[in-house]
Amino acid sequence: MDPLQFLVPLGWLSDVGPMLPYAILVMAVANLATRHIAHRHHVEQGSDGDSVEPYAPHAFTNIGLLLLSFLFVLDSPVSGTILAVIVITMLIADLFELEARNVEARNDMPIEAPKSSIAASLLVLVYAAYYALFFLVSGIWNQFVVA
């Protein structure tokens, strides 16, 4: 018996659950791509004006990662919670980095890359790849790690 079955109807989640790690991996790759494009837009906006606006496709991938990680919490509580904490950390880093880009634009400084956000999104990508693609290394892993 699933402990959450009375709080949330989980029938549909048992069908979608095995595909969630792959969806999270695709969204994490898309997030890195939109992060790169958003930085280019921020550099252009910073040279033209006094403020930097959030890039809508990047905000979409951020929210998508957050929602997928919360769904993953329902399917796999421990791994999903770890991923959700990393994604929330990435979102907080994004907010602070956007404000830092605004300060740089207002003070006519060169717009730097969002280093902490990149590090957090790479951590999300590594964890998502580990969870989604573990079957590639499971034979070697099980030879050396005794569980």
Side-chain angles (χ1 to χ4, degrees):
M1 182 168 103
D2 193 358
L4 295 175
Q5 77 181 19
F6 298 111
L7 296 176
V8 178
L10 295 176
W12 63 273
L13 191 59
S14 62
D15 296 332
V16 177
M19 293 180 279
L20 279 175
Y22 304 109
I24 292 169
L25 180 62
V26 168
M27 191 66 81
V29 170
N31 186 276
L32 277 172
T34 58
R35 185 177 305 282
H36 177 69
I37 296 169
H39 175 63
R40 287 193 305 180
H41 281 274
H42 291 164
V43 170
E44 291 172 8
Q45 288 175 352
S47 64
D48 294 341
D50 287 342
S51 68
V52 173
E53 298 296 322
Y55 186 60
H58 182 62
F60 172 77
T61 58
N62 278 344
I63 299 302
L65 266 173
L66 185 67
L67 293 176
L68 284 173
S69 67
F70 286 158
L71 278 176
F72 195 49
V73 167
L74 293 176
D75 184 55
S76 179
V78 174
S79 301
T81 303
I82 293 169
L83 181 67
V85 166
I86 298 171
V87 168
I88 290 170
T89 302
M90 182 190 72
L91 290 174
I92 292 171
D94 266 349
L95 290 174
F96 281 106
E97 290 286 352
L98 184 66
E99 289 303 315
R101 302 299 78 84
N102 277 324
V103 168
E104 291 170 352
R106 278 193 301 266
N107 294 327
D108 294 326
M109 299 168 62
I111 304 294
E112 294 184 9
K115 296 175 191 89
S116 64
S117 299
I118 292 171
S121 64
L122 283 175
L123 191 59
V124 169
L125 179 69
V126 166
Y127 189 75
Y130 166 76
Y131 204 81
L133 304 175
F134 184 73
F135 66 91
L136 296 175
V137 294
S138 64
I140 298 169
W141 183 270
N142 291 334
Q143 287 178 355
F144 295 110
V145 177
V146 178

